[in-house]
Amino acid sequence: MQRIGEALNSPSYERYFEQQAHCPTHGPYTAVYALVGGQWVGGYCPHCLGADNERQRRKDFARQRAQRIQKMLRHAGVPPRYHAAGFDTFDPVTEQAGWVRDCCRRYAETFPERLKTGTSLILSGEVGTGKTHLACAIVREIVLRHAHQAFYTSVSGAVRQVRRTYDRNSEQSESEVFDWLAGVPLLVLDEVGVQTGSEHERMVLFEVFNRRYADMRPTVVISNLDYNALAHSLGERIIDRLLEGGTALRFTWDSYRRRRSAAGVTL
């Protein structure tokens, strides 16, 4: 349906006329008709036309939002094993496991507030207890519910991203990688504490944590280490910054993988 304004401004416009008309929904109105290219166009109720335009605007917005969310999910770095990870698919084997899951769910559901305050989260405990599952569930919830970008990576993956920029054929500079790691609304950093402890790795971690703290960007840290070992690995300064208003959750239950193996379940 051609808007009357477009018709009046068309190079093929010839003349127009007005007449009173009646809309079953909105009542009487002045209908405007224009002769364009030998054909009469227009006559639509302006209120109906406005409603149609608003419906189309909402449809376009919803489509663009869905496309943006799918793009953010593709760039979220979630491993294929955890593409369907959610809070409802997490098996709370103990009462504490259920409490930890609910804490992670609340963190994701209230992420806009966490983003304003830069509230971070530490998930620590033995291997196979579901830390990565819940972290990826947080990533997916933040993208799908709040349309905020979140990015999951391991420490070694972050370091590799930086090192790749030293190749003369790299399409990114070191500063661009650091801008991404430091600027993404939520960064989930896995395998913290298992790194080799090289000077370059410490530099990368310090740069990322320091910039995110300064910019009040929340970070989720995943580690197999307990608090003391993690503080020794990262340094008290970084731990203090992560826990400034943040939360540390301990995964103290038995490994899912060991339990399934003992039950004869093929992994």
Side-chain angles (χ1 to χ4, degrees):
M1 121 182 1
Q2 187 177 19
R3 294 186 178 89
I4 193 64
E6 296 173 348
L8 295 175
N9 290 319
S10 170
S12 303
Y13 163 72
E14 298 174 40
R15 64 182 185 276
Y16 85 99
F17 74 91
E18 299 177 355
Q19 71 176 26
Q20 292 302 303
H22 186 273
C23 171
T25 303
H26 301 103
Y29 70 96
T30 300
V32 180
Y33 295 86
L35 184 61
V36 180
Q39 293 185 333
W40 289 101
V41 298
Y44 308 111
C45 168
H47 301 291
C48 290
L49 187 60
D52 288 342
N53 291 339
E54 178 61 19
R55 281 191 293 270
Q56 186 61 48
R57 187 193 67 80
R58 292 181 179 179
K59 286 176 60 177
D60 291 344
F61 177 81
R63 184 184 70 255
Q64 292 166 5
R65 186 179 190 274
Q67 292 173 344
R68 188 170 69 254
I69 286 174
Q70 289 305 310
K71 182 178 179 179
M72 286 192 289
L73 282 176
R74 290 195 299 271
H75 290 84
V78 173
R81 181 177 294 275
Y82 299 101
H83 277 180
F87 300 111
D88 292 336
T89 59
F90 178 80
D91 182 15
V93 295
T94 67
E95 184 177 349
Q96 184 189 8
W99 179 79
V100 166
R101 177 203 58 190
D102 292 343
C103 287
C104 291
R105 190 199 299 269
R106 285 194 297 273
Y107 184 90
E109 290 176 347
T110 60
F111 183 72
E113 288 77 14
R114 315 290 183 173
L115 185 58
K116 290 178 182 178
T117 58
T119 306
S120 294
L121 192 63
I122 297 178
L123 310 180
S124 64
E126 294 297 327
V127 297
T129 50
K131 300 185 300 297
T132 301
H133 179 117
L134 286 179
C136 290
I138 290 173
V139 168
R140 287 173 46 78
E141 182 76 3
I142 286 171
V143 172
L144 292 170
R145 176 189 284 256
H146 303 295
H148 282 299
Q149 182 68 70
F151 182 61
Y152 167 96
T153 186
S154 63
V155 171
S156 58
V159 171
R160 281 196 301 272
Q161 279 188 275
V162 175
R163 282 179 176 163
R164 278 197 292 266
T165 66
Y166 304 153
D167 187 319
R168 69 175 64 184
N169 296 319
S170 174
E171 296 181 355
Q172 286 184 299
S173 67
E174 182 186 61
S175 62
E176 287 173 333
V177 171
F178 275 124
D179 286 346
W180 164 252
L181 294 173
V184 64
L186 179 71
L187 177 67
V188 176
L189 204 55
D190 203 350
E191 299 178 359
V192 176
V194 302
Q195 60 270 22
T196 62
S198 69
E199 186 61 33
H200 184 258
E201 287 177 337
R202 285 194 293 269
M203 180 275 292
V204 170
L205 284 176
F206 181 80
E207 177 73 12
V208 171
F209 282 125
N210 194 53
R211 287 181 55 178
R212 293 189 68 80
Y213 173 79
D215 294 339
M216 298 182 69
R217 294 292 193 185
T219 306
V220 173
V221 167
I222 309 172
S223 179
N224 298 334
L225 304 179
D226 60 23
Y227 175 83
N228 291 330
L230 187 59
H232 177 74
S233 175
L234 292 178
E236 290 287 351
R237 185 179 180 185
I238 290 179
I239 287 292
D240 286 345
R241 289 182 172 187
L242 286 171
L243 291 179
E244 186 176 315
T247 304
L249 299 175
R250 284 286 292 159
F251 290 58
T252 59
W253 47 93
D254 290 338
S255 165
Y256 287 99
R257 291 192 283 270
R258 284 199 297 268
R259 188 172 62 254
R260 289 179 179 179
S261 179
V265 178
T266 302
L267 297 177

Short mmCIF file of all heavy atoms in Angstrom, two decimals, residues 37-77:
data_model
loop_
_atom_site.label_atom_id
_atom_site.label_comp_id
_atom_site.label_asym_id
_atom_site.label_seq_id
_atom_site.Cartn_x
_atom_site.Cartn_y
_atom_site.Cartn_z
N GLY A 37 0.69 7.89 -12.53
CA GLY A 37 0.92 6.99 -13.66
C GLY A 37 -0.35 6.43 -14.24
O GLY A 37 -0.40 5.28 -14.69
N GLY A 38 -1.41 7.21 -14.21
CA GLY A 38 -2.67 6.76 -14.79
C GLY A 38 -3.52 5.93 -13.85
O GLY A 38 -4.59 5.46 -14.24
N GLN A 39 -3.08 5.74 -12.59
CA GLN A 39 -3.85 4.95 -11.63
C GLN A 39 -4.12 5.76 -10.36
O GLN A 39 -3.25 6.50 -9.90
CB GLN A 39 -3.11 3.66 -11.26
CG GLN A 39 -2.99 2.66 -12.40
CD GLN A 39 -2.36 1.35 -11.95
OE1 GLN A 39 -1.59 1.34 -10.99
NE2 GLN A 39 -2.69 0.27 -12.63
N TRP A 40 -5.34 5.59 -9.82
CA TRP A 40 -5.68 6.26 -8.58
C TRP A 40 -5.19 5.42 -7.40
O TRP A 40 -5.44 4.23 -7.33
CB TRP A 40 -7.20 6.47 -8.47
CG TRP A 40 -7.72 7.51 -9.42
CD1 TRP A 40 -8.35 7.31 -10.61
CD2 TRP A 40 -7.63 8.92 -9.23
NE1 TRP A 40 -8.67 8.50 -11.20
CE2 TRP A 40 -8.24 9.51 -10.37
CE3 TRP A 40 -7.11 9.76 -8.24
CZ2 TRP A 40 -8.33 10.89 -10.54
CZ3 TRP A 40 -7.21 11.12 -8.42
CH2 TRP A 40 -7.80 11.67 -9.54
N VAL A 41 -4.49 6.07 -6.46
CA VAL A 41 -4.01 5.39 -5.27
C VAL A 41 -4.41 6.21 -4.05
O VAL A 41 -4.72 7.40 -4.16
CB VAL A 41 -2.48 5.20 -5.28
CG1 VAL A 41 -2.04 4.33 -6.44
CG2 VAL A 41 -1.76 6.55 -5.33
N GLY A 42 -4.37 5.58 -2.86
CA GLY A 42 -4.69 6.28 -1.62
C GLY A 42 -6.08 5.94 -1.14
O GLY A 42 -6.65 4.89 -1.47
N GLY A 43 -6.65 6.85 -0.35
CA GLY A 43 -7.98 6.66 0.19
C GLY A 43 -8.00 5.91 1.50
O GLY A 43 -9.06 5.67 2.07
N TYR A 44 -6.84 5.50 2.01
CA TYR A 44 -6.80 4.70 3.23
C TYR A 44 -7.08 5.54 4.48
O TYR A 44 -6.71 6.71 4.55
CB TYR A 44 -5.44 4.03 3.37
CG TYR A 44 -4.99 3.27 2.15
CD1 TYR A 44 -3.93 3.73 1.38
CD2 TYR A 44 -5.66 2.11 1.76
CE1 TYR A 44 -3.52 3.05 0.25
CE2 TYR A 44 -5.26 1.42 0.63
CZ TYR A 44 -4.19 1.89 -0.13
OH TYR A 44 -3.80 1.22 -1.26
N CYS A 45 -7.66 4.88 5.47
CA CYS A 45 -7.87 5.52 6.76
C CYS A 45 -6.50 5.80 7.39
O CYS A 45 -5.70 4.86 7.55
CB CYS A 45 -8.70 4.62 7.67
SG CYS A 45 -8.73 5.16 9.41
N PRO A 46 -6.19 7.02 7.75
CA PRO A 46 -4.86 7.32 8.30
C PRO A 46 -4.59 6.60 9.62
O PRO A 46 -3.45 6.25 9.92
CB PRO A 46 -4.87 8.84 8.47
CG PRO A 46 -6.31 9.22 8.53
CD PRO A 46 -7.02 8.24 7.65
N HIS A 47 -5.66 6.36 10.40
CA HIS A 47 -5.47 5.65 11.67
C HIS A 47 -5.13 4.18 11.43
O HIS A 47 -4.25 3.61 12.09
CB HIS A 47 -6.73 5.76 12.53
CG HIS A 47 -7.10 7.17 12.86
ND1 HIS A 47 -6.35 7.96 13.71
CD2 HIS A 47 -8.14 7.95 12.43
CE1 HIS A 47 -6.92 9.15 13.81
NE2 HIS A 47 -8.00 9.17 13.04
N CYS A 48 -5.83 3.56 10.47
CA CYS A 48 -5.52 2.16 10.13
C CYS A 48 -4.12 2.05 9.54
O CYS A 48 -3.38 1.11 9.85
CB CYS A 48 -6.54 1.63 9.13
SG CYS A 48 -8.20 1.37 9.81
N LEU A 49 -3.77 3.03 8.70
CA LEU A 49 -2.45 3.01 8.09
C LEU A 49 -1.37 3.17 9.16
O LEU A 49 -0.34 2.48 9.12
CB LEU A 49 -2.34 4.15 7.06
CG LEU A 49 -1.07 4.16 6.21
CD1 LEU A 49 -0.94 2.87 5.42
CD2 LEU A 49 -1.07 5.36 5.27
N GLY A 50 -1.63 4.03 10.15
CA GLY A 50 -0.67 4.20 11.23
C GLY A 50 -0.53 2.93 12.04
O GLY A 50 0.59 2.55 12.45
N ALA A 51 -1.65 2.23 12.29
CA ALA A 51 -1.60 0.97 13.04
C ALA A 51 -0.84 -0.09 12.26
O ALA A 51 -0.05 -0.86 12.83
CB ALA A 51 -3.01 0.50 13.35
N ASP A 52 -1.06 -0.12 10.95
CA ASP A 52 -0.32 -1.08 10.11
C ASP A 52 1.18 -0.79 10.14
O ASP A 52 2.00 -1.71 10.22
CB ASP A 52 -0.82 -1.02 8.66
CG ASP A 52 -2.21 -1.62 8.49
OD1 ASP A 52 -2.62 -2.40 9.39
OD2 ASP A 52 -2.86 -1.33 7.48
N ASN A 53 1.50 0.50 10.09
CA ASN A 53 2.92 0.87 10.13
C ASN A 53 3.56 0.48 11.46
O ASN A 53 4.71 0.03 11.51
CB ASN A 53 3.07 2.37 9.89
CG ASN A 53 2.74 2.78 8.47
OD1 ASN A 53 2.77 1.94 7.56
ND2 ASN A 53 2.41 4.04 8.27
N GLU A 54 2.79 0.65 12.56
CA GLU A 54 3.32 0.30 13.88
C GLU A 54 3.51 -1.21 14.01
O GLU A 54 4.51 -1.68 14.56
CB GLU A 54 2.36 0.79 14.97
CG GLU A 54 2.78 0.43 16.39
CD GLU A 54 4.12 1.00 16.80
OE1 GLU A 54 4.60 1.96 16.15
OE2 GLU A 54 4.71 0.48 17.76
N ARG A 55 2.56 -1.99 13.48
CA ARG A 55 2.70 -3.45 13.50
C ARG A 55 3.93 -3.89 12.70
O ARG A 55 4.68 -4.77 13.12
CB ARG A 55 1.44 -4.12 12.95
CG ARG A 55 0.29 -4.17 13.95
CD ARG A 55 -0.82 -5.09 13.45
NE ARG A 55 -1.48 -4.54 12.27
CZ ARG A 55 -2.52 -3.75 12.33
NH1 ARG A 55 -3.04 -3.40 13.49
NH2 ARG A 55 -3.09 -3.30 11.21
N GLN A 56 4.12 -3.24 11.54
CA GLN A 56 5.27 -3.59 10.72
C GLN A 56 6.57 -3.20 11.42
O GLN A 56 7.57 -3.93 11.36
CB GLN A 56 5.17 -2.89 9.36
CG GLN A 56 6.26 -3.29 8.38
CD GLN A 56 6.23 -4.78 8.06
OE1 GLN A 56 5.18 -5.33 7.76
NE2 GLN A 56 7.38 -5.43 8.13
N ARG A 57 6.55 -2.05 12.10
CA ARG A 57 7.75 -1.62 12.82
C ARG A 57 8.11 -2.62 13.91
O ARG A 57 9.28 -2.96 14.10
CB ARG A 57 7.51 -0.24 13.45
CG ARG A 57 8.76 0.37 14.09
CD ARG A 57 8.40 1.58 14.94
NE ARG A 57 7.63 1.18 16.12
CZ ARG A 57 8.18 0.67 17.21
NH1 ARG A 57 9.49 0.48 17.29
NH2 ARG A 57 7.42 0.33 18.24
N ARG A 58 7.09 -3.11 14.63
CA ARG A 58 7.35 -4.08 15.69
C ARG A 58 7.85 -5.40 15.13
O ARG A 58 8.73 -6.05 15.71
CB ARG A 58 6.07 -4.31 16.51
CG ARG A 58 5.66 -3.09 17.34
CD ARG A 58 4.40 -3.37 18.14
NE ARG A 58 4.02 -2.21 18.95
CZ ARG A 58 2.96 -2.18 19.73
NH1 ARG A 58 2.15 -3.24 19.81
NH2 ARG A 58 2.68 -1.10 20.44
N LYS A 59 7.28 -5.81 13.98
CA LYS A 59 7.75 -7.05 13.35
C LYS A 59 9.19 -6.91 12.91
O LYS A 59 10.01 -7.83 13.09
CB LYS A 59 6.86 -7.40 12.15
CG LYS A 59 5.50 -7.94 12.53
CD LYS A 59 4.63 -8.16 11.29
CE LYS A 59 5.25 -9.15 10.33
NZ LYS A 59 4.37 -9.41 9.17
N ASP A 60 9.53 -5.77 12.34
CA ASP A 60 10.91 -5.53 11.90
C ASP A 60 11.86 -5.52 13.08
O ASP A 60 12.96 -6.07 13.02
CB ASP A 60 11.00 -4.20 11.14
CG ASP A 60 10.30 -4.23 9.80
OD1 ASP A 60 10.00 -5.34 9.31
OD2 ASP A 60 10.02 -3.15 9.25
N PHE A 61 11.42 -4.89 14.18
CA PHE A 61 12.26 -4.82 15.37
C PHE A 61 12.50 -6.22 15.94
O PHE A 61 13.62 -6.58 16.32
CB PHE A 61 11.60 -3.94 16.43
CG PHE A 61 12.36 -3.88 17.72
CD1 PHE A 61 13.46 -3.05 17.87
CD2 PHE A 61 11.98 -4.68 18.80
CE1 PHE A 61 14.17 -3.00 19.07
CE2 PHE A 61 12.68 -4.64 20.00
CZ PHE A 61 13.78 -3.80 20.13
N ALA A 62 11.41 -7.03 16.01
CA ALA A 62 11.54 -8.39 16.54
C ALA A 62 12.46 -9.24 15.66
O ALA A 62 13.28 -10.02 16.16
CB ALA A 62 10.17 -9.04 16.65
N ARG A 63 12.33 -9.07 14.34
CA ARG A 63 13.18 -9.83 13.42
C ARG A 63 14.64 -9.42 13.57
O ARG A 63 15.54 -10.28 13.64
CB ARG A 63 12.73 -9.62 11.98
CG ARG A 63 13.51 -10.47 10.97
CD ARG A 63 13.14 -10.19 9.54
NE ARG A 63 13.60 -8.88 9.11
CZ ARG A 63 12.82 -7.82 8.96
NH1 ARG A 63 11.52 -7.92 9.19
NH2 ARG A 63 13.31 -6.66 8.58
N GLN A 64 14.89 -8.12 13.65
CA GLN A 64 16.26 -7.64 13.81
C GLN A 64 16.85 -8.08 15.15
O GLN A 64 18.03 -8.43 15.22
CB GLN A 64 16.29 -6.12 13.67
CG GLN A 64 15.96 -5.63 12.28
CD GLN A 64 15.68 -4.14 12.24
OE1 GLN A 64 15.82 -3.43 13.25
NE2 GLN A 64 15.28 -3.63 11.08
N ARG A 65 16.03 -8.07 16.20
CA ARG A 65 16.52 -8.51 17.51
C ARG A 65 16.88 -9.99 17.49
O ARG A 65 17.92 -10.39 18.02
CB ARG A 65 15.46 -8.25 18.58
CG ARG A 65 15.94 -8.54 20.01
CD ARG A 65 14.84 -8.21 21.02
NE ARG A 65 15.33 -8.26 22.39
CZ ARG A 65 15.39 -9.37 23.11
NH1 ARG A 65 14.96 -10.52 22.60
NH2 ARG A 65 15.85 -9.34 24.35
N ALA A 66 16.01 -10.80 16.85
CA ALA A 66 16.29 -12.23 16.75
C ALA A 66 17.58 -12.48 15.97
O ALA A 66 18.39 -13.35 16.34
CB ALA A 66 15.11 -12.95 16.09
N GLN A 67 17.78 -11.73 14.89
CA GLN A 67 18.99 -11.89 14.10
C GLN A 67 20.22 -11.48 14.91
O GLN A 67 21.27 -12.13 14.84
CB GLN A 67 18.90 -11.04 12.82
CG GLN A 67 17.87 -11.55 11.83
CD GLN A 67 17.67 -10.60 10.65
OE1 GLN A 67 18.07 -9.42 10.69
NE2 GLN A 67 17.05 -11.09 9.60
N ARG A 68 20.08 -10.40 15.69
CA ARG A 68 21.19 -9.93 16.52
C ARG A 68 21.53 -10.96 17.60
O ARG A 68 22.71 -11.22 17.88
CB ARG A 68 20.83 -8.59 17.14
CG ARG A 68 21.98 -7.93 17.88
CD ARG A 68 21.66 -6.50 18.27
NE ARG A 68 20.65 -6.42 19.31
CZ ARG A 68 19.39 -6.06 19.12
NH1 ARG A 68 18.96 -5.72 17.92
NH2 ARG A 68 18.53 -6.01 20.13
N ILE A 69 20.50 -11.56 18.19
CA ILE A 69 20.73 -12.57 19.23
C ILE A 69 21.42 -13.79 18.65
O ILE A 69 22.35 -14.34 19.26
CB ILE A 69 19.39 -12.94 19.89
CG1 ILE A 69 18.95 -11.81 20.82
CG2 ILE A 69 19.51 -14.25 20.68
CD1 ILE A 69 17.57 -12.02 21.43
N GLN A 70 20.99 -14.23 17.48
CA GLN A 70 21.64 -15.39 16.87
C GLN A 70 23.10 -15.09 16.53
O GLN A 70 23.97 -15.96 16.70
CB GLN A 70 20.88 -15.79 15.59
CG GLN A 70 19.53 -16.43 15.86
CD GLN A 70 19.63 -17.63 16.78
OE1 GLN A 70 20.45 -18.53 16.57
NE2 GLN A 70 18.79 -17.66 17.80
N LYS A 71 23.37 -13.89 16.11
CA LYS A 71 24.75 -13.50 15.84
C LYS A 71 25.57 -13.50 17.12
O LYS A 71 26.72 -13.97 17.14
CB LYS A 71 24.79 -12.12 15.19
CG LYS A 71 26.21 -11.66 14.82
CD LYS A 71 26.18 -10.30 14.14
CE LYS A 71 27.59 -9.85 13.79
NZ LYS A 71 27.58 -8.52 13.11
N MET A 72 25.00 -12.99 18.22
CA MET A 72 25.71 -12.98 19.50
C MET A 72 25.97 -14.39 20.00
O MET A 72 27.03 -14.68 20.56
CB MET A 72 24.93 -12.17 20.53
CG MET A 72 25.00 -10.67 20.30
SD MET A 72 24.36 -9.68 21.68
CE MET A 72 22.62 -10.01 21.53
N LEU A 73 25.00 -15.31 19.79
CA LEU A 73 25.21 -16.69 20.20
C LEU A 73 26.35 -17.33 19.41
O LEU A 73 27.15 -18.09 19.96
CB LEU A 73 23.92 -17.50 20.00
CG LEU A 73 22.83 -17.33 21.06
CD1 LEU A 73 21.59 -18.14 20.66
CD2 LEU A 73 23.32 -17.77 22.43
N ARG A 74 26.42 -16.99 18.12
CA ARG A 74 27.52 -17.55 17.29
C ARG A 74 28.87 -17.05 17.76
O ARG A 74 29.89 -17.73 17.57
CB ARG A 74 27.30 -17.19 15.81
CG ARG A 74 26.14 -17.90 15.15
CD ARG A 74 26.21 -17.78 13.63
NE ARG A 74 26.15 -16.41 13.18
CZ ARG A 74 25.02 -15.77 12.91
NH1 ARG A 74 23.85 -16.38 13.05
NH2 ARG A 74 25.04 -14.52 12.48
N HIS A 75 28.91 -15.86 18.34
CA HIS A 75 30.16 -15.26 18.79
C HIS A 75 30.37 -15.41 20.30
O HIS A 75 31.23 -14.75 20.87
CB HIS A 75 30.21 -13.78 18.41
CG HIS A 75 30.36 -13.54 16.94
ND1 HIS A 75 29.28 -13.54 16.08
CD2 HIS A 75 31.46 -13.32 16.16
CE1 HIS A 75 29.70 -13.31 14.85
NE2 HIS A 75 31.01 -13.19 14.86
N ALA A 76 29.58 -16.28 20.95
CA ALA A 76 29.67 -16.42 22.40
C ALA A 76 30.75 -17.40 22.83
O ALA A 76 31.07 -17.46 24.02
CB ALA A 76 28.32 -16.86 22.97
N GLY A 77 31.30 -18.15 21.90
CA GLY A 77 32.40 -19.05 22.22
C GLY A 77 32.01 -20.29 23.01
O GLY A 77 32.89 -21.00 23.50
#
